[in-house]
Amino acid sequence: MSDPREEWQQAYDATTLREGPFDTMSGVPVDAVYGNAPYPGQYPYTRGLFAAGYRSRLWTMRMFAGFGTAEDTNARFKELLRAGGGGLSTAFDMPTLMGRDSDHEWALGEVGHCGVAVDTLADMEDLFADINLGSVSTSMTINGPAIMIMAMYIAVGEKTGVDRSALAGTIQNDILKEYQAQKEYIFPPRPSMRLITDMMKFTSAEMPKWHPVSISGYHIREAGSTAAQELAFTLSNGFAYVEAALAAGLDIDDFAPRLSFFFNSHSDFFEEIGKFRAARRIWARWMKERYGATSERSMRLKFHTQTAGVSLTAQQAEINIGRVAIQALAGALGGTQSLHTDAYDEAMALPTEDAARIALRTQQIVAHETGVTNVVDPLGGAPYVEWMTDEMERQAEEIFAHLLDIGNDSILEGAYAGIDNGYYMGEIADAAYRFEREVNSGQRIIVGVNDFTEGDDGQRNLLRIGAEVEEYQLKRLADVKQRRNSDAVTASLTRLASEAADPEVNLMPTMIEAVKEFATEGEIVATLEGVFGTYVEKAVI
Amino acid sequence: MSLHGKNQRGQNLRELSAEAIFSLALDGELRALGRLITFIERDSDEAEVISELAHARAGNAHVIGITGAPGSGKSTLTGQLVALLNQKHPRAAVLAVDPSSPLTGGAILGDRVRMEDVASPETFIRSMATRGHQGGLALAVPGVVRVLDAMGYNPIIIETVGVGQVEVDIAGTADTTVVVATPGMGDAVQANKAGLLELADLFVVNKADRPGANDVRRDLDHMLDLSHTTGQDQRTGMRPEIVMTAALTGQGAADMWAAIERHRDAITANGQIDERRASRDLEEVRNRVMAVIERRVDDLLSEHGTTGALKAVRDREMAPSVAAREITNTRFG
Amino acid sequence: MSEPQLRVVLAKLGFDGHDRGIKIVARILRDAGMEVIYLGLRQSYLNVVNAVEQEDADAVGLSMHNASHMTLAPKMVEALAAAGLDVPVIVGGIVPDEDVTELLEKGVAVVLGPGASAEQVAISVRDAVAAKA
Ligand SMILES: Nc1nc2c(ncn2[C@@H]2O[C@H](COP(=O)(O)OP(=O)(O)OP(=O)(O)O)[C@@H](O)[C@H]2O)c(=O)[nH]1
Ligand SMILES: [Mg+2]
């Protein structure tokens, strides 16, 4: 059988669909797909990963939140689970993300703020208390100290009788974009990659339900890149992890299906849609042609989308709701697997509950009222959309060529070289400055900022985290330090240091031992810094 | 810190004379030293007094120039060097020179970050922009070095990017000039073109953790063999050493410092160091005279304005060379 | 020489890693003819104090995008004062309106909101420096 249309039909027919009807608001029935081959579900997946698209399953409406103490978040997790959710999304506070304890001098004012504070295994135990880790899927947004947090999660499972092989979830663990954009790095790039490789090997061997890296362009875009740069830097980071895993002896079809992506959805509607479509096509081609993947699952790029935090304005904040709706629609038309919509008041502070609810409702409108979910890749075949998709791909390929050039034919080496010589940071800073100048000169209108500015009452309720959280956490940390066996802590840290110095050893087992002795995140980081060094970026302005 | 210094703490420097600020700086007040350098940099009225005061106390510091292509790791290396010296020479000073924007005169000076965390608390780091007139830089740098020297800083490291003649010259007037090369991009060849080869008292091949570092070393060796002096510095009769470093980890920094010391000892032993310093001072005199004369020439020409010889040149009635002779004859003849 | 060149130290304190804004400001100030001593991310009070002293800076610009601006900015003002450095501290980034008054009371010279134009940024730095002179 070789007719693509027939093939598509078969695949579509074999899919379990959501409940219909799949017709317009006025009752006009519509087909599942229009236009030409390759159809959705067919290589290179420009038109979508699966034949039936959102007719089979809507995107996951994932809302990422969390602040306060581990106990606060635990209560919310349980609420979520009671309400039928099966996925827990964990945000950590700034000190935790930076691998420092709550009693670090810079932690003041940050503890428990944009996420939960985790200093030791005790916090992690509180965070997941009374939750059966064998029956949930947990996503953890953390990068620099990912290996410690992962070790703690495994240890909590062990202590509650859940074998690590039963643990399911994702850890962001995308360190390359930290050097390039988000700047939450700890160690220099190469030792950081070694930690990631250790985790990829460990999860490949022992944790079949775990996704060890989620490759994130979101932060690259937030830092000011263009859409094409976001696309290219993110995918090339993906290639870099693939090359690192291959070099570590893993089989591509073993681990590539476990990689997932995370993109930004900004306001230039068609550019975003072109970006998403190009992302699928590029990934499929590179996986197949360059890296020799044979499984379709390796070639299918799955991604999560979040609306653009940077696009939110402090001025006339309510109008952000309009921006978020348009960006969410672009994500849906681009075929995202899951979506987070920003709250309109996030430009100034943490989202209030009301604003978070409106954000969720906004994507529900897109899913249930607009009808875009009736047809798979409804824009496919439109000349402008196809041109934009090609253009995004062309620009991305130019960037890949540059990376291969500076990396002597290796994307991984190209990524190191680009971080080292300031390539990424320079490109992003240039793009951000160009945009800023255009807004400044009035060439580019941002509603409420440089035009249509009347009507801002400036009154907004802001959510603040009380100082109690910090006090509580500091006391908790002190208590744990008091109670633990400090000789055992020292011994495990010493072993960790010596293993860190030997790149042949997988650090994961000893890491698990160390967190079980209640070594703090800060202590483990300091130990590893002693071997790996601390990264100081070259400021590229 | 002396009582005197304490009493003055918080006092507005604007209300003090240059002499008073100088003595505050001698007492260890860093903001006073910072201000002295500003005066020198601006060549303001106070500069001459300060230079005179400084001259009387200067002459002890070992001045090291570090130059090389942008991004070759000069600042990281300098940081490593300073960190290494924490024990033996805690009072090192660094002068990091970066170009100003020719369009706006502004500058972004980003070298400091690469050094501050590793340097000893007594290290003094100053960032300097080239500020348009490159001749000005050639005047300012020796002045700033003199002040740092007078305050007891030793060694004094000057970092300049190895592009542009003035930057290269500045590094070249040091007691010991270090040229940094890196693997890739034919760095050795570039160094040759930029005239860095003749200048170097010492080569550092940085980023030795990268592939190709040995090739650079070999190329440099080769070029030294080929150069007309058969690799020997005419001034010292020494062949520049080549040291491999990986500044990110600090590897090789000790070797680099040892080679710098060997060079310093050698030129101290053979008297070269005094000669270099003397010629540096003479060069400064010459530059200052030149600067004055240049300004006068500019005034003179603007006096002529659009009349006379200049107008004739503009109207293509007179050749430039004839006009020049006419003007010099009437003025300096 | 005409007007003396202003020298501004730009830094981010603490953990905050959002450097899009501070980089844009660095370019704005450079393009306004100033010399920017760019310290960038993760600076300590001491680093900033040292830089102001040694670089003889005329002003300090802090970019703040995290919750800790109310803790860090006043402490920076104190640290500079304790070192006898009378330079204005200008805060930019994400600062809710309701925090501005308190920051100004605690010695911050200017708070620039997210909507500040390039001209406003450059002018506020000039004005803040002039006000100290
Ligand atoms: N791999 C590697 N990278 C290095 C080494 N030394 C410096 N770097 C990196 O090279 C980049 C440039 O380093 P800098 O020290 O800023 O170089 P520079 O010569 O002072 O640069 P400019 O002042 O901009 O001309 C930084 O990203 C450093 O981390 C090294 O030995 N090995
Ligand atoms: Mg430098």
Side-chain angles (χ1 to χ4, degrees):
Chain A
M1 186 183 61
S2 62
D3 177 34
R5 179 75 200 193
E6 243 167 71
E7 261 180 57
W8 174 83
Q9 190 66 49
Q10 282 206 352
Y12 179 78
D13 292 343
T15 312
T16 323
L17 301 185
R18 278 190 297 129
E19 226 164 279
F22 300 111
D23 59 8
T24 72
M25 190 178 242
S26 322
V28 181
V30 296
D31 288 346
V33 73
Y34 292 86
N36 302 320
Y39 293 102
Q42 296 175 353
Y43 179 86
Y45 311 105
T46 317
R47 303 200 60 191
L49 294 182
F50 301 102
Y54 297 135
R55 279 198 178 195
S56 97
R57 230 184 107 232
L58 289 175
W59 62 84
T60 308
M61 302 189 190
R62 197 188 295 159
M63 303 300 286
F64 167 94
F67 38 82
T69 65
E71 279 154 331
D72 298 338
T73 310
N74 176 259
R76 222 180 4 262
F77 279 171
K78 286 183 189 154
E79 238 167 73
L80 254 165
L81 293 173
R82 265 195 300 276
L88 305 176
S89 188
T90 322
F92 297 93
D93 71 0
M94 209 52 201
T96 308
L97 291 173
M98 292 301 300
R100 311 291 160 178
D101 291 338
S102 299
D103 57 4
H104 188 279
E105 61 160 321
W106 292 346
L108 203 66
E110 301 270 13
V111 177
H113 238 270
C114 308
V116 60
V118 172
D119 294 318
T120 67
L121 181 60
D123 301 319
M124 205 69 160
E125 288 179 288
D126 287 354
L127 186 57
F128 294 102
D130 308 316
I131 295 172
N132 179 1
L133 295 191
S135 66
V136 295
S137 147
T138 302
S139 137
M140 295 190 278
T141 304
I142 193 155
N143 296 280
I147 191 167
M148 288 142 243
I149 296 297
M150 175 93 198
M152 288 185 194
Y153 193 74
I154 293 170
V156 173
E158 232 167 81
K159 285 183 135 184
T160 56
V162 180
D163 191 72
R164 59 184 71 144
S165 62
L167 299 177
T170 307
I171 190 154
Q172 192 166 76
N173 204 20
D174 170 14
I175 200 67
L176 291 173
K177 62 99 170 54
E178 297 299 337
Y179 303 108
Q180 296 158 353
Q182 185 166 245
K183 311 296 172 76
E184 287 163 12
Y185 41 68
I186 303 173
F187 317 112
R190 283 169 202 263
S192 293
M193 273 309 257
R194 181 258 177 112
L195 296 178
I196 292 174
T197 317
D198 281 359
M199 291 167 75
M200 289 198 286
K201 281 199 236 174
F202 187 86
T203 52
S204 276
E206 309 207 25
M207 302 174 69
K209 296 201 255 179
W210 199 268
H211 301 271
V213 190
S214 164
I215 305 141
S216 308
Y218 185 81
H219 319 87
I220 294 172
R221 191 64 175 284
E222 291 286 295
S225 82
T226 65
Q229 286 165 348
E230 177 198 355
L231 174 68
F233 294 170
T234 310
L235 291 185
S236 59
N237 288 345
F239 303 149
Y241 295 120
V242 166
E243 291 181 10
L246 291 176
L250 296 172
D251 180 81
I252 181 118
D253 288 321
D254 257 1
F255 72 89
R258 293 210 247 160
L259 297 176
S260 62
F261 288 81
F262 172 20
F263 289 113
N264 198 301
S265 191
H266 218 295
S267 296
D268 192 316
F269 196 62
F270 289 103
E271 188 173 54
E272 294 307 295
I273 294 167
K275 178 186 79 184
F276 298 130
R277 298 175 90 245
R280 278 191 296 270
R281 182 154 81 203
I282 296 169
W283 184 253
R285 285 190 179 154
W286 277 64
M287 282 303 107
K288 184 173 178 170
E289 287 165 20
R290 182 174 162 97
Y291 299 113
T294 54
S295 156
E296 295 213 321
R297 293 178 60 230
S298 304
M299 300 175 214
R300 288 192 172 123
L301 175 143
K302 302 176 298 261
F303 67 98
H304 171 67
T305 302
Q306 183 173 336
T307 57
V310 275
S311 73
L312 303 179
T313 58
Q315 300 88 335
Q316 303 188 50
E318 295 77 7
I319 66 174
N320 288 324
I321 298 171
R323 294 191 175 98
V324 168
I326 291 163
Q327 297 167 0
L329 184 59
L333 290 169
T336 190
Q337 270 65 50
S338 62
L339 179 63
H340 171 111
T341 33
D342 288 327
Y344 70 84
D345 57 1
E346 266 176 76
M348 292 314 275
L350 294 170
T352 52
E353 217 168 289
D354 262 356
R357 182 181 45 80
I358 292 173
L360 177 60
R361 296 290 174 261
T362 305
Q363 55 171 309
Q364 288 165 336
I365 293 173
V366 174
H368 300 287
E369 296 187 23
T370 64
V372 298
T373 52
N374 286 336
V375 179
V376 196
D377 189 34
L379 297 180
Y384 180 39
V385 171
E386 294 300 341
W387 177 86
M388 183 62 88
T389 307
D390 294 346
E391 174 62 13
M392 286 289 120
E393 181 178 24
R394 189 190 63 75
Q395 288 191 31
E397 290 287 349
E398 264 179 26
I399 292 175
F400 302 150
H402 174 72
L403 291 172
L404 285 173
D405 185 39
I406 62 176
N408 284 317
D409 219 34
S410 150
I411 292 277
L412 177 58
E413 287 302 322
Y416 288 141
I419 288 166
D420 188 54
N421 69 23
Y423 164 70
Y424 299 99
M425 296 75 103
E427 292 288 295
I428 293 171
D430 283 349
Y433 191 53
R434 181 187 53 78
F435 185 80
E436 185 70 20
R437 277 216 318 261
E438 288 171 3
V439 172
N440 227 295
S441 65
Q443 242 175 298
R444 199 174 280 281
I445 290 175
I446 305 294
V447 175
V449 172
N450 61 358
D451 208 344
F452 314 109
T453 49
E454 63 289 339
D456 195 3
D457 70 357
Q459 286 304 306
R460 236 136 258 137
N461 292 323
L462 297 179
L463 181 73
R464 293 188 187 259
I465 302 294
E468 322 83 66
V469 172
E470 191 155 286
E471 280 161 32
Y472 172 90
Q473 188 61 24
L474 288 176
K475 187 169 171 310
R476 171 128 187 97
L477 177 58
D479 283 352
V480 172
K481 280 190 181 170
Q482 181 90 59
R483 283 202 322 263
R484 64 184 186 176
N485 175 347
S486 54
D487 291 342
V489 173
T490 312
S492 68
L493 292 177
T494 309
R495 191 161 62 250
L496 200 59
S498 77
E499 290 187 1
D502 179 356
E504 297 301 313
V505 180
N506 194 320
L507 281 181
M508 203 69 216
T510 303
M511 191 67 71
I512 297 172
E513 291 316 307
V515 301
K516 279 197 203 155
E517 297 295 351
F518 296 96
T520 71
E521 192 197 19
E523 289 165 345
I524 296 174
V525 164
T527 303
L528 294 181
E529 279 178 314
V531 181
F532 296 152
T534 307
Y535 185 71
V536 180
E537 75 162 4
K538 171 175 170 62
V540 178
I541 302 128
Chain B
M1 188 174 293
S2 75
L3 211 61
H4 175 61
K6 273 230 166 65
N7 284 339
Q8 304 278 336
R9 204 141 182 94
Q11 183 164 348
N12 196 336
L13 292 180
R14 280 185 212 96
E15 291 157 12
L16 299 180
S17 66
E19 287 89 344
I21 298 177
F22 193 90
S23 70
L24 267 186
L26 276 178
D27 281 342
E29 230 195 85
L30 294 181
R31 69 187 178 113
L33 175 52
R35 182 60 49 87
L36 292 179
I37 294 176
T38 301
F39 286 137
I40 301 281
E41 219 184 348
R42 289 186 182 156
D43 204 13
S44 46
D45 299 342
E46 294 87 346
E48 200 165 317
V49 183
I50 296 167
S51 286
E52 227 172 342
L53 288 168
H55 189 70
R57 294 170 172 271
N60 303 311
H62 179 203
V63 181
I64 302 163
I66 298 192
T67 192
S72 50
K74 301 177 292 294
S75 300
T76 316
L77 268 175
T78 304
Q80 289 292 351
L81 218 51
V82 167
L84 182 81
L85 298 182
N86 274 351
Q87 308 293 319
K88 251 169 63 187
H89 302 273
R91 297 196 70 216
V94 180
L95 196 54
V97 183
D98 270 316
S100 299
S101 153
L103 289 179
T104 66
I108 297 176
L109 309 169
D111 290 315
R112 196 182 171 85
V113 239
R114 305 209 69 79
M115 311 170 189
E116 62 185 4
D117 283 333
V118 286
S120 89
E122 286 151 283
T123 310
F124 190 94
I125 305 169
R126 176 76 172 214
S127 317
M128 248 173 109
T130 50
R131 297 204 175 166
H133 299 292
Q134 304 226 301
L137 186 67
L139 295 182
V141 169
V144 175
V145 168
R146 183 172 297 114
V147 171
L148 290 168
D149 186 351
M151 296 299 152
Y153 287 97
N154 183 19
I156 298 168
I157 303 175
I158 309 170
E159 175 191 336
T160 65
V161 180
V163 288
Q165 200 49 50
V166 179
E167 285 94 330
V168 171
D169 286 351
I170 284 166
T173 55
D175 299 329
T176 303
T177 302
V178 181
V179 170
V180 182
T182 51
M185 317 262 169
D187 241 29
V189 181
Q190 291 304 329
N192 197 9
K193 275 198 203 140
L196 293 177
L197 223 52
E198 289 98 82
L199 206 77
D201 297 310
L202 171 65
F203 287 101
V204 168
V205 179
N206 188 38
K207 309 200 184 184
D209 51 322
R210 300 262 98 121
N214 280 319
D215 300 344
V216 181
R217 181 194 189 111
R218 203 196 44 228
D219 290 351
L220 285 172
D221 239 336
H222 192 59
M223 279 183 215
L224 286 175
D225 287 342
L226 286 182
S227 75
H228 57 283
T229 51
T230 54
Q232 308 221 323
D233 189 312
Q234 289 155 311
R235 298 164 298 185
T236 58
M238 285 157 55
R239 182 184 170 103
E241 288 187 53
I242 305 175
V243 178
M244 313 289 277
T245 60
L248 269 190
T249 58
Q251 199 189 320
D255 296 343
M256 175 178 171
W257 179 246
I260 290 173
E261 281 194 313
R262 273 195 296 281
H263 179 263
R264 185 203 55 202
D265 292 347
I267 61 171
T268 309
N270 69 13
Q272 264 290 323
I273 197 163
D274 297 326
E275 222 163 286
R276 282 191 183 204
R277 288 178 177 173
S279 72
R280 208 154 67 207
D281 285 345
L282 293 179
E283 187 65 18
E284 192 186 340
V285 174
R286 186 170 185 283
N287 282 336
R288 287 201 165 272
V289 174
M290 285 295 286
V292 173
I293 289 179
E294 249 175 55
R295 215 173 303 138
R296 294 227 178 125
V297 169
D298 286 341
D299 291 349
L300 177 62
L301 290 183
S302 73
E303 249 169 58
H304 278 252
T306 49
T307 60
L310 284 187
K311 182 170 188 313
V313 171
R314 194 185 291 263
D315 296 342
R316 300 191 55 81
E317 284 163 9
M318 194 185 276
S321 54
V322 179
R325 188 164 37 75
E326 206 157 278
I327 293 170
T328 41
N329 279 350
T330 51
R331 238 5 215 267
F332 305 107
Chain C
M1 186 165 269
S2 51
E3 220 177 295
Q5 206 134 16
L6 289 189
R7 287 166 67 85
V8 183
V9 168
L10 286 187
K12 286 182 78 82
L13 301 169
F15 290 131
D16 177 8
H18 298 91
D19 58 0
R20 176 190 175 127
I22 190 174
K23 285 182 172 180
I24 289 175
V25 168
R27 291 190 186 200
I28 288 174
L29 297 183
R30 177 198 60 194
D31 292 351
M34 303 182 199
E35 286 177 5
V36 174
I37 294 106
Y38 185 86
L39 301 185
L41 297 176
R42 317 253 147 74
Q43 297 300 308
S44 63
Y45 306 117
L46 183 65
N47 281 349
V48 175
V49 166
N50 285 342
V52 172
E53 281 184 334
Q54 297 173 16
E55 304 286 354
D56 194 17
D58 302 291
V60 172
L62 298 179
S63 160
M64 321 201 81
H65 289 80
N66 271 25
S68 48
H69 57 266
M70 295 305 280
T71 330
L72 299 179
K75 277 200 171 184
M76 188 71 252
V77 172
E78 278 169 32
L80 287 165
L85 297 166
D86 187 25
V87 294
V89 173
I90 297 146
V91 171
I94 302 289
V95 177
D97 289 347
E98 59 198 64
D99 290 348
V100 172
T101 322
E102 194 180 330
L103 283 179
L104 296 179
E105 271 164 15
K106 290 186 168 162
V108 169
V110 185
V111 178
L112 288 166
S117 71
E119 294 73 44
Q120 282 169 313
V121 170
I123 288 170
S124 348
V125 172
R126 285 222 173 82
D127 288 353
V129 173
K132 290 275 184 184

